[in-house]
Every structure is written in C-alpha cells, then in structure tokens.
Amino acid sequence: MELIQQNPDLSAYLASDEAIDHHHPLVRRTAAQLAGQVADSYAYAHAAFEYVRDTLPHSADSGDPRVTWRASDVLAQRTGICHAKAHALAALLRAEDIPTALCYQRLEYDGAGGHCVHGLVAVRFRGGWHRQDCRGNKEGVDARFSLDGERLAFVPAGERGERDYPTLYAAPHPAVLRVLKEAPDRARLWDALPDAL
C-alpha cells in the first residue's frame, strides 16, 4: 500500500499540537531518558516504540476506565487506547526530530460486524514512511518495530469490511480527537469511536 502524506511539508510531521504536546516537560524528560540509552535515531525510535508498547498498558487490556488523549497525559497516567498511545509515541519521536505521522485502520471489533477506527503511527526513515503499531501486545497480537516489512497488530481483512487508510496525518483526525476529548470513560468512548473515516 502506498502511503500518502496529507501535508507535503515534512516539517508538519515534527510539529507540536494539543494532542502531540512534545514540548511538555514530561515528554521531554522521557525522551531524554530514552535517548541517553541509545546510539542513534533508529535505536531511539525502536526504544521509544517498545517503551510505549510495553510500559503503557492499553486501557482495554488492563480494564482501566480512564480516557487519555494528550501525549503528556498518556505518559503521566500510564494508560490509553491505541489512539492515545499513538499520540504518545508520536510526541516522543518528534521530540527527537523524527518525522512521525498518525495513520488509521478500519477494523472489526465485536465479531458481529461492528467496526471501529484503529490508530497507529508511521515513522520516516530511509527516505520512506514505515507504519508501526504500539497498541500493546497480548494473546494473538505480536506487533514489532520494523523498517523491513510491517509487523502491525492487525492485518485488515477486506471481506469483513476492514481496510488500511493510506493517508498520513500530521495531526490527529478531528473525528477521533473529538470523541477522545468528549468521552467521560472508556466504556462510553468505545460506543462513540468512529466506525470509518
């Protein structure tokens, strides 16, 4: 699948905004700690990915009812759904000047034909974009950081109405961000997530 930049200006994928708040002291401190343990930007990106994937539980997996959406809040509260975790990873990567986009998939989620939009990121290395899914591994999910072929949590099945969206967003999709900001808890967030973009 060919990935399409929403914004032709690569600097847009380094910007800070209300969700990807990489100038926040906690984001900067976390980025500095991770960067101090590695030798180069590739190793940093790999370390940041594993940090978000493995140390910040997906709230549905852990049963946490809290809803986070701002990167600094995800890091502080140590919880979030896929979209929030993608915001956190994007902030950590952009904090170290690694262009990072947000991207999405449409996935079946209830086994009865219901769908929701799933969030992930794409990083810019070797002159191209490489999608990464930091939602967190569990039984049946084994996502890994890779520039040599995707190792995502989910592969959409077209026969079930699932799909990859090719657009690389510089900021969170407005429909996704709105429901994250408005949801009082994860149970109601689940009912409000868009089923398509």
Side-chain angles (χ1 to χ4, degrees):
M1 177 185 69
E2 182 181 350
L3 298 173
I4 303 164
Q5 284 183 216
Q6 178 192 37
N7 190 324
D9 182 359
L10 199 58
S11 68
Y13 298 94
L14 291 168
S16 181
D17 61 34
E18 65 174 338
I20 304 171
D21 58 340
H22 63 75
H23 294 302
H24 188 281
L26 178 57
V27 177
R28 302 301 296 181
R29 189 166 55 250
T30 305
Q33 289 169 348
L34 292 168
Q37 301 170 15
V38 297
D40 57 32
S41 60
Y42 171 80
Y44 173 80
H46 193 168
F49 170 85
E50 290 188 345
Y51 177 81
V52 173
R53 183 194 66 187
D54 298 342
T55 70
L56 307 175
H58 189 290
S59 56
D61 296 346
S62 66
D64 194 322
R66 296 174 294 168
V67 176
T68 53
W69 57 271
R70 184 179 285 118
S72 57
D73 291 338
V74 176
L75 295 175
Q77 297 182 40
R78 308 191 64 73
T79 191
I81 68 165
C82 59
H83 301 287
K85 292 183 67 166
H87 299 168
L89 180 56
L92 289 172
L93 295 172
R94 291 181 185 188
E96 291 294 315
D97 296 321
I98 298 170
T100 307
L102 298 168
C103 42
Y104 302 94
Q105 296 175 314
R106 181 180 195 243
L107 300 173
E108 189 176 59
Y109 78 93
D110 63 3
H115 292 86
C116 69
V117 172
H118 175 62
L120 47 158
V121 305
V123 294
R124 181 88 177 175
F125 276 106
R126 301 178 186 164
W129 290 99
H130 306 272
R131 293 189 307 165
Q132 314 294 331
D133 192 339
C134 62
R135 73 142 333 265
N137 289 339
K138 61 179 185 174
E139 186 175 338
V141 174
D142 185 25
R144 298 181 182 269
F145 187 85
S146 175
L147 304 185
D148 301 311
E150 293 184 335
R151 296 290 306 271
L152 304 179
F154 307 105
V155 177
E159 67 273 10
R160 295 198 314 251
E162 298 181 334
R163 64 172 293 201
D164 286 308
Y165 291 106
T167 303
L168 299 170
Y169 293 89
H173 191 285
V176 171
L177 188 58
R178 184 183 68 253
V179 298
L180 285 170
K181 290 169 76 171
E182 293 176 355
D185 56 47
R186 187 177 42 81
R188 282 176 277 193
L189 171 62
W190 238 234
D191 293 336
L193 280 173
D195 65 359
L197 294 180

